[in-house]
Amino acid sequence: MNASFIDMSAHAGSSLDSLNEWVAQVAALTRPGAVHWCDGSDAENDALTAAMQADGTLIKLNEKTHPGCWLHRSDPEDVARVEHLTFVCTTDRDDAGPNNHWMAPTDAHAKMDALFEGCMRGRTMYVIPYCMGPIDSPLSRCGVEITDSPYVVANMRIMTRMGAPALARIEREGHFVKGLHSTGELDPDRRFIMHFPEELAIKSYGSGYGGNALLGKKCHALRIASHQARTEGWLAEHMLILGLKNPQGETHYIAAAFPSACGKTNLAMLIPPEGYLKDGWRVTTVGDDICWMRPGSDGRLYAINPEAGFFGVAPGTSKKSNPNALASIQSNTIFTNVGLTADNQPWWEGLDEGEPVTDWRAEPYDPAKRPAAHPNSRFTVSARQCPSYSPESENPAGVPISAIVFGGRRPSLVPLVFEARDWTHGVLIGAAMGSETTAAATGAVGVMRRDPMAMKPFCGYNFADYFSHWLDFDNGSNKLPKVFHVNWFRRGEAGDFLWPGFGENLRVLEWMIGRVKGTAGAVETPIGNLPAASELNLAGVDLSAEAMEKLFGFDQTGWRQEFASIGEYLEEYGPRMPQALKDEQRRIAAQLEG
Ligand code: GTP
Ligand code: SPV
Ligand code: MN
């Protein structure tokens, strides 16, 4: 590899002094064999991938069917985010809140620095300057990740604006988020993901996987950014952003927060059902995982996607469920922990064609043993390769948001869709969100838990303060979006999903935009406004009587219990929980008694 062993004095005297100093400090601690400053060029990427192919980190996939595609197999004990090893280290424990694991910053630094000591001996240390968001957007923020993983470099190159332009912006601004990462020994007992929001710093050790290692993503763009956003008056959210164009040619932008592996990528790339397509409905993709938004001069919320690529769940991606994702990942894609066909094509459960012969652990495929692809196997691909890619993704001003949607995996009780009465009610709906856990994090799957705004694993500060921050946007001058809740995952008595989902979700989006414009009707209930039977277009959807009842009904007894549980949940945060939210919960609970 043509590594550029940049002399530390190269940037001396510029506003990169603090960066150079930090890099020198880290090198002194971790003792790498070489230091490489990433410029993000094609030549650099070619050299890196060639080196990774040579040492087996990357396996070349079928060049005919999947040009420029690679398979990476992670350590089998390192396949998902590790929430129990993820900490928010604020001076005051209450600032991190009951929603986070906490450690005192001095203790956390000592613990991490002991792990980092000498850990890069014989390895190359990569310095990755990156920008989260369009390079020329005032809403964007820069960071630098130092890592000893070339796989992380290759992923960061796809997921962020990485290299020379980011370094130039850092030089101009003089500040950036410092992320230090080492794969260490990949020992689950020597693995920690530490955040220091007061210092705009991250230290991650012992994992090479996804959100644990690609520090621009969840660590920076959500945990650190949410903390920063609170002090600066904006929001950093676990939300997709889509553009919905109607037959009249108007485009409305929708931001939606669903927990990990609960359908953001799928909704962001939705292809409308046949009849809707004919009428001219289109969905364009601005983002599939993270949304930064702030009020513009007109009081509307304007959103950017801080990422430049998709790190999407592979299993379940098919021509039927998500043709846009499938089309995106035919070339120039890194696959992690998927299976292989006999002719070296990537394969995962739910793919329409092909037969796996090798599983994600490089063993002969045996369905009795394990699935071909790990349930949290992923693809990394540039957003620009998506057929529904929206050029608005590059708009430095962001896109105006018409509706915010919350949703989770709720097998029972929660109907297909309902609308908040107002902003405060919307914040309560977000705060009370629940969902079944998924394979995106280690631990049991299918366990119901509260996951407010899909931010349980990602909020860099006390949820009580976070809800207050959300409430503060209702300041009399902002023109806030309407808020909705959806549930694509309601199950029937037989255990099957009652709603067809995927492309058919457009019908629900259509109703939402109708509500935004004041053209669609609703039925008021204590939990919010449900679509009136005739107001949601179900033409061509075959729903059983059970489905109709459960998707559009309102179970007063069940909701009474749910609201008691929501009340208890809010109390867990003690006196910091905003009174307005508790009042809203009580108001609805009282209505449900009636
Ligand atoms: P992260 O990248 O982990 O944040 O996940 P995500 O929220 O982007 O989830 P994604 O869109 O990748 O979907 C995860 C799983 O949910 C996949 O197996 C999908 O097939 C499934 N899924 C997505 N949308 C729907 C839907 O409308 N109905 C049903 N039944 N399943 C869905
Ligand atoms: C999620 O878990 O929400 C993801 C994948 O998007 S990761 O990057 O690992 O956080
Ligand atoms: Mn996510």
Side-chain angles (χ1 to χ4, degrees):
M1 187 185 61
N2 183 22
S4 47
F5 300 98
I6 289 193
D7 176 357
M8 295 299 167
S9 62
H11 302 294
S14 74
S15 56
L16 291 176
D17 282 356
S18 72
L19 172 56
N20 287 323
E21 236 168 73
W22 175 57
V23 170
Q25 270 169 20
V26 170
L29 175 67
T30 60
R31 307 251 151 233
V35 178
H36 176 90
W37 289 68
C38 298
D39 61 14
S41 65
D42 289 345
E44 176 182 80
N45 188 55
D46 292 347
L48 266 176
T49 38
M52 284 191 278
Q53 184 177 15
D55 73 9
T57 304
L58 292 182
I59 297 160
K60 184 131 196 61
L61 294 174
N62 189 320
E63 186 63 24
K64 278 215 180 81
T65 59
H66 290 79
C69 289
W70 303 91
L71 168 66
H72 172 72
R73 294 194 180 105
S74 75
D75 184 282
E77 299 295 318
D78 183 32
V79 293
R81 284 182 293 98
V82 281
E83 295 181 7
H84 60 298
L85 303 174
T86 299
F87 289 73
V88 170
C89 309
T90 45
T91 311
D92 180 348
R93 182 178 198 142
D94 285 343
D95 289 340
N99 46 304
N100 281 303
H101 299 297
W102 175 86
M103 203 180 284
T106 42
D107 295 347
H109 279 302
K111 191 178 191 68
M112 296 306 282
D113 291 351
L115 292 171
F116 278 112
E117 199 175 336
C119 74
M120 295 189 191
R121 275 202 183 89
R123 300 185 187 179
T124 298
M125 178 176 114
Y126 301 93
V127 182
I128 312 173
Y130 63 86
C131 180
M132 300 310 291
I135 197 83
D136 53 350
S137 169
L139 283 78
S140 300
R141 292 287 184 278
C142 288
V144 176
E145 174 166 358
I146 296 180
T147 180
D148 55 10
S149 163
Y151 165 81
V152 165
V153 178
N155 277 272
M156 285 290 283
R157 181 169 185 268
I158 297 171
M159 295 304 297
T160 73
R161 281 90 170 165
M162 181 259 259
L167 189 64
R169 179 163 171 163
I170 290 168
E171 181 162 23
R172 205 168 59 239
E173 292 182 333
H175 53 83
F176 57 96
V177 170
K178 294 185 173 81
L180 173 54
H181 168 255
S182 171
T183 49
E185 309 80 32
L186 295 175
D187 176 355
D189 293 327
R190 285 164 58 83
R191 180 176 295 162
F192 292 100
I193 325 295
M194 299 279 186
H195 303 75
F196 305 90
E198 293 153 358
E199 305 163 39
L200 302 183
I202 305 153
K203 290 184 177 176
S204 165
Y205 189 90
S207 166
Y209 205 85
N212 299 332
L214 313 177
L215 301 187
K217 196 170 176 59
K218 299 301 170 41
C219 299
H220 177 165
L222 287 179
R223 298 194 192 93
I224 299 289
S226 61
H227 191 276
Q228 218 175 2
R230 181 191 173 207
T231 49
E232 297 176 6
W234 48 284
L235 291 165
E237 300 300 327
H238 191 203
M239 293 178 177
L240 67 92
I241 308 164
L242 65 79
L244 178 59
K245 194 171 111 192
N246 66 14
Q248 293 81 52
E250 306 160 351
T251 300
H252 285 273
Y253 292 92
I254 298 177
F258 309 152
S260 302
C262 290
K264 290 183 300 300
T265 301
N266 277 270
L267 190 69
M269 298 178 190
L270 181 150
I271 295 183
E274 204 50 54
Y276 279 86
L277 269 180
K278 268 203 204 105
D279 290 346
W281 289 89
R282 291 290 180 278
V283 168
T284 52
T285 310
V286 178
D288 84 324
D289 198 51
I290 302 182
C291 163
W292 287 357
M293 52 191 165
R294 72 156 74 218
S297 51
D298 60 358
R300 297 187 72 186
L301 289 185
Y302 283 79
I304 61 162
N305 170 15
E307 301 191 284
F310 307 127
F311 184 64
V313 178
T317 306
S318 71
K319 268 188 207 136
K320 189 160 177 289
S321 66
N322 194 344
N324 278 327
L326 202 63
S328 310
I329 58 182
Q330 296 307 303
S331 63
N332 310 316
T333 302
I334 301 171
F335 294 89
T336 304
N337 291 344
V338 299
L340 281 180
T341 63
D343 64 346
N344 258 356
Q345 296 192 48
W347 197 91
W348 49 82
E349 279 63 26
L351 193 62
D352 320 71
E353 51 200 34
E355 293 263 336
V357 297
T358 310
D359 72 19
W360 64 276
R361 293 184 64 165
E363 288 177 22
Y365 172 60
D366 174 0
K369 214 167 171 189
R370 66 177 72 93
H374 186 276
N376 191 39
S377 56
R378 301 253 167 183
F379 53 77
T380 318
V381 68
S382 166
R384 290 173 185 274
Q385 289 197 192
C386 186
S388 58
Y389 169 78
S390 168
E392 286 297 307
S393 310
E394 287 298 330
N395 187 340
V399 295
I401 299 297
S402 298
I404 287 177
V405 184
F406 296 118
R409 287 180 187 261
R410 296 296 301 252
S412 60
L413 184 67
V414 181
L416 181 65
V417 59
F418 58 96
E419 175 201 39
R421 257 177 306 275
D422 56 22
W423 185 255
T424 302
H425 182 214
V427 175
L428 179 68
I429 289 172
M433 259 172 72
S435 196
E436 289 180 327
T437 52
T438 65
T442 56
V445 166
V447 178
M448 183 62 67
R449 70 165 180 186
R450 295 268 165 230
D451 189 350
M453 278 112 167
M455 285 287 277
K456 167 74 187 73
F458 308 120
C459 185
Y461 63 106
N462 191 321
F463 260 153
D465 300 336
Y466 172 76
F467 302 143
S468 298
H469 181 49
W470 265 81
L471 291 170
D472 285 346
F473 282 84
D474 191 7
N475 61 2
S477 57
N478 284 339
K479 294 190 194 70
L480 296 167
K482 269 191 176 289
V483 179
F484 298 87
H485 189 283
V486 300
N487 179 21
W488 312 142
F489 300 94
R490 186 76 185 263
R491 290 183 191 265
E493 295 299 336
D496 51 327
F497 290 123
L498 293 175
W499 176 248
F502 302 103
E504 306 296 339
N505 294 334
L506 186 88
R507 298 168 189 277
V508 176
L509 302 184
E510 178 189 23
W511 179 71
M512 289 175 187
I513 296 309
R515 293 299 293 166
V516 167
K517 293 171 69 175
T519 55
V523 181
E524 284 182 35
T525 79
I527 63 161
N529 303 325
L530 292 160
S534 56
E535 295 289 341
L536 197 109
N537 178 13
L538 294 175
V541 191
D542 190 18
L543 294 178
S544 64
E546 184 198 17
M548 287 302 292
E549 162 63 27
K550 289 187 166 149
L551 293 171
F552 301 104
F554 156 66
D555 164 10
Q556 179 141 349
T557 314
W559 277 104
R560 199 179 295 148
Q561 287 162 7
E562 174 75 1
F563 262 80
S565 148
I566 293 168
E568 284 164 22
Y569 177 69
L570 297 183
E571 284 308 323
E572 286 174 24
Y573 290 85
R576 277 168 99 127
M577 183 55 68
Q579 192 58 42
L581 216 54
K582 292 198 273 191
D583 289 347
E584 185 72 4
Q585 181 274 336
R586 280 182 201 143
R587 193 181 60 72
I588 296 170
Q591 279 184 24
L592 288 163
E593 291 304 323

